[in-house]
Amino acid sequence: MTKPATLTVGATVENLARIAEFLEKTLHDAGCPEETIFSVQLAVDEAGSNVMLYGYPDGDAGTLTVTCEVREGTIRLTLTDDGRPFDPLTIEPPDLDADLEHRKIGGLGIHFMRSVMDDVGYDYIDGKNVLCMIKREGGT
Amino acid sequence: MKVKAYLAIEQTISTMSGNLEINERHEAGVAIVSLKGRLDAASSQEAEQRMNSLIDAGDRSILVNLGDLDYISSSGLRVLLASLKRLKKTGGDLHIACPKPAVRDVFTMAGFHRIFTIDDDEASALSSFTEKA
């Protein structure tokens, strides 16, 4: 693939399935295996859910743009939104060994993103959150 | 859009919410909840309401069949964790059956394979309730 594929949706949870379909088609067309597609869908879904659930606390959800590029075995994803500034990398990792009583769900999303992707980076540029995630062939 | 259908013959209650279909039936004193499609941030609220309704109605043994579930995110795991916590407090339990490999991987990644009883087929999951009783 030479040109990045881009999808822009309203930042509401009803659009998560649309993003998943977009990634399925884009990555399938690029020849990526099913396990890789699932991993990328999970990472983007978790990142997108954060934006949709917490990015617009005053209502009036904005937009979320997902860009996906596959080049020489490397998948590069960029999520851009105009919600409140939020760096998911600052979230504390969950205690995966906690027993049921002490088990909390917070932080699992970012844990998934870090687990299935090789690199996750965040920046706030021109009033927008920009999250970049990279998955390399033969990587995580 | 929500579509409700009550099938009297099989005593099954079916609900469609977004990209998730929820089917509910009872067998041998166990509530069996079958999930089909996607359990994500869009559908987790409906799933949570259904699980809470069962627990509120007195069900203490719940088997969640994930055989037709293609996708689960942390939002979906939260629903199952909250239900298990509620059930355990009142002497109940929740078992998972038939997760597809990719869904099982998400459970493992979260460390949930140490918290939930997960069986490869529904019959084993059902009998694991009776073995405990």
Side-chain angles (χ1 to χ4, degrees):
Chain A
M1 184 190 299
T2 52
K3 194 179 170 189
T6 297
L7 173 75
T8 297
V9 296
T12 56
V13 290
E14 292 76 20
N15 287 320
L16 287 170
R18 272 187 70 193
I19 295 173
E21 285 166 17
F22 160 74
L23 293 171
E24 168 90 37
K25 183 177 186 325
T26 304
L27 297 173
H28 187 267
D29 289 352
C32 297
E34 288 303 317
E35 301 85 40
T36 300
I37 296 174
F38 188 96
S39 294
V40 170
Q41 286 176 322
L42 180 65
V44 174
D45 186 85
E46 294 291 354
S49 297
N50 268 339
V51 172
M52 293 160 174
L53 293 172
Y54 310 115
Y56 302 91
D58 302 324
D60 293 334
T63 57
L64 172 65
T65 296
V66 181
T67 302
C68 179
E69 183 180 21
V70 185
R71 187 184 292 176
E72 292 168 3
T74 296
I75 303 169
R76 189 179 298 269
L77 296 141
T78 309
L79 277 72
T80 309
D81 69 84
D82 50 8
R84 70 183 171 92
F86 173 65
D87 179 359
L89 302 179
T90 59
I91 301 290
E92 279 197 31
D95 179 2
L96 301 180
D97 296 319
D99 60 19
L100 176 65
E101 194 180 338
H102 300 96
R103 196 59 211 265
K104 295 189 175 79
I105 207 74
L108 261 188
I110 182 66
H111 166 66
F112 288 167
M113 288 153 60
R114 286 184 190 276
S115 297
V116 300
M117 305 302 285
D118 291 299
D119 279 318
V120 182
Y122 169 84
D123 213 341
Y124 191 71
I125 306 169
D126 296 334
K128 291 182 189 295
N129 294 293
V130 182
L131 187 74
C132 290
M133 297 191 282
I134 291 172
K135 188 166 182 64
R136 297 182 186 88
E137 193 175 20
T140 303
Chain B
M1 186 184 75
K2 292 178 186 174
V3 180
K4 280 200 173 186
Y6 295 90
L7 302 177
I9 301 169
E10 295 180 8
Q11 301 273 312
T12 301
I13 302 174
S14 179
T15 309
M16 187 78 195
S17 172
N19 290 282
L20 180 72
E21 185 182 322
I22 307 172
N23 285 293
E24 216 177 85
R25 70 182 208 275
H26 284 80
E27 193 173 320
V30 177
I32 301 174
V33 180
S34 300
L35 304 179
K36 181 179 182 180
R38 286 172 55 87
L39 183 53
D40 59 11
S43 57
S44 58
Q45 200 175 357
E46 171 71 19
E48 185 163 30
Q49 283 171 5
R50 290 289 292 274
M51 296 298 289
N52 281 335
S53 296
L54 283 172
I55 299 169
D56 291 343
D59 278 299
R60 288 295 168 268
S61 299
I62 300 181
L63 192 168
V64 182
N65 187 324
L66 303 182
D68 289 321
L69 193 73
D70 299 318
Y71 178 79
I72 190 165
S73 71
S74 63
S75 296
L77 290 182
R78 187 184 59 75
V79 173
L80 298 174
L81 182 71
S83 300
L84 179 62
K85 280 186 174 182
R86 271 196 77 189
L87 285 164
K88 285 278 190 183
K89 275 183 187 164
T90 50
D93 209 349
L94 184 154
H95 293 189
I96 304 292
C98 318
K100 291 181 180 178
V103 169
R104 186 186 273 269
D105 285 349
V106 178
F107 273 79
T108 305
M109 218 187 308
F112 274 33
H113 59 302
R114 290 191 288 269
I115 293 176
F116 286 91
T117 303
I118 304 175
D119 285 292
D120 287 330
D121 62 277
E122 193 178 280
S124 301
L126 257 180
S127 61
S128 62
F129 277 108
T130 33
E131 281 161 15
K132 274 194 171 180

